[in-house]
Amino acid sequence: MPELPEVETTLRGVEPFLANATVDAMIVREPRLRWPVPDDLAARIEGQQVVGLRRRAKYLLVDFEQGSVIVHLGMSGNLRVVDKSTPLKKHDHVDMVLSSGKVVRFNDPRRFGCVLWQDKGTEHERLLGLGPEPLTEDFNAEGLAKAAKNSSRPIKQLIMDNKVVVGVGNIYANEALFKAGIRPTRPANKISKARLTSLTDEIKVVLAKAIAQGGTTLKDFVGSDGKPGYFQQTLQVYGRAGQPCSQCTTLLKEVRMSGRATVFCPECQR
DNA sequence: AAAGACACCTGGGAGC
DNA sequence: TGCTCCCAGGTGTCTT
């Protein structure tokens, strides 16, 4: 269930097992992911030691001396840490077998995720041109205002544009816009700097909160059945069309924007 | 430049 | 119980 908070939660979950680990083997059972798993990926990392673990946008990067394994969870992917002896489940496509006896196992029913390789000192084309990370200073009101200034695109589209800011998926775009009181369909260039500043803040807050709560499900995640169950309690608009707004009790409205469910309060969001 | 359709793929839930 | 249809957290490409 990967939006950025889930990816960050995944990173934190596998980190203790992957830090400085040595890879005994990589097993690719199904290379047909969003992009094919490179044929030579296993050979590149077998016997190698992990020297770092990072996240960029919704990509996880496992660093080795010669380069990095890049993992994206797509819509339905997840990574679990299991014992070597753990029986395979359907859609367990890739295993990274560690010398500790643990296995980092990639499962992805829809196969929209990917497992790729980038040589050290190069940047994979998937990572080129990505905008600032939302939880860093690089993403700020000035940058958003600049992007919005000459754009009549709906604001929701703008904040989901990876060139403007990475990692804001459909759920959190809806939530942040609600918190900021901005209607998702409003043209970006018709929003005051003050309100864009508020939106910038709310994006950071909503993502940070979700990460904090995702952290509470870390145990589940590392164990056998890793589903973060936080969002039902937390979400104020996503998945709540037709229900009363938590602020004013007006019924929440749903529209489609670029094919994505978009929910807002017609009263609180203008 | 950007909106929109379509693509990749499986599974779960609703409705009949 | 089972069939059909619609929907889903992402994101890349192609057409208007």
Side-chain angles (χ1 to χ4, degrees), chain A residues 12-259:
Chain A
R12 295 178 186 189
V14 296
E15 210 276 333
F17 300 92
L18 272 180
N20 303 311
T22 299
V23 176
D24 275 358
M26 173 156 241
I27 302 166
V28 181
R29 297 183 195 84
E30 175 55 87
R32 296 175 304 164
L33 306 182
R34 181 70 162 87
W35 293 280
V37 180
D39 291 339
D40 57 359
L41 185 57
R44 285 183 187 276
I45 64 167
E46 279 171 6
Q48 301 296 308
Q49 190 176 20
V50 175
V51 298
L53 195 55
R54 296 175 283 152
R55 179 185 60 73
R56 176 72 176 110
K58 292 172 190 164
Y59 295 91
L60 291 170
L61 289 91
V62 185
D63 297 326
F64 296 87
E65 288 294 343
Q66 281 87 12
S68 308
V69 172
I70 302 174
V71 177
H72 195 293
L73 303 176
M75 294 272 266
S76 57
N78 70 283
L79 285 182
R80 305 240 182 90
V81 178
V82 298
D83 289 317
K84 222 191 234 175
S85 58
T86 305
L88 290 173
K89 293 184 177 174
K90 205 173 177 184
H91 310 300
D92 279 340
H93 303 314
V94 179
D95 275 2
M96 196 182 285
V97 185
L98 308 177
S99 61
S100 61
K102 295 286 184 186
V103 173
V104 178
R105 185 163 281 175
F106 175 78
N107 180 289
D108 185 7
R110 291 176 74 179
R111 287 193 275 123
F112 287 174
C114 62
V115 178
L116 301 169
W117 174 259
Q118 104 183 341
D119 283 316
K120 184 161 191 172
T122 69
E123 191 155 50
H124 197 281
E125 62 175 325
R126 299 271 73 88
L127 305 182
L128 288 173
L130 289 176
E133 286 291 327
L135 295 173
T136 69
E137 295 287 315
D138 295 341
F139 174 58
N140 52 52
E142 285 65 40
L144 184 60
K146 196 176 166 194
K149 193 174 176 188
N150 295 313
S151 176
S152 57
R153 299 168 75 184
I155 186 64
K156 180 170 181 243
Q157 249 75 297
L158 201 74
I159 61 173
M160 291 181 73
D161 182 339
N162 271 340
K163 291 190 283 300
V164 176
V165 56
V166 300
V168 181
N170 194 39
I171 292 179
Y172 296 109
N174 277 288
E175 295 301 311
L177 285 162
F178 173 77
K179 289 281 181 64
I182 301 172
R183 197 169 290 212
T185 50
R186 175 166 287 274
N189 59 6
K190 298 262 175 62
I191 303 171
S192 71
K193 175 76 185 292
R195 301 181 76 209
L196 290 174
T197 302
S198 160
L199 178 57
T200 305
D201 294 343
E202 295 300 349
I203 287 171
K204 290 172 185 281
V205 168
V206 81
L207 291 175
K209 260 193 191 164
I211 289 170
Q213 294 178 54
T216 67
T217 64
L218 264 185
K219 260 186 230 141
D220 285 358
F221 155 78
V222 177
S224 50
D225 135 285
K227 42 171 187 278
Y230 59 79
F231 47 82
Q232 290 86 342
Q233 306 144 27
T234 308
L235 300 184
Q236 310 232 40
V237 286
Y238 183 83
R240 295 195 63 241
Q243 297 176 43
C245 170
S246 59
Q247 302 281 307
C248 75
T249 73
T250 301
L251 297 187
L252 298 176
K253 194 175 171 190
E254 175 164 336
V255 296
R256 298 224 141 236
M257 296 180 66
S258 298

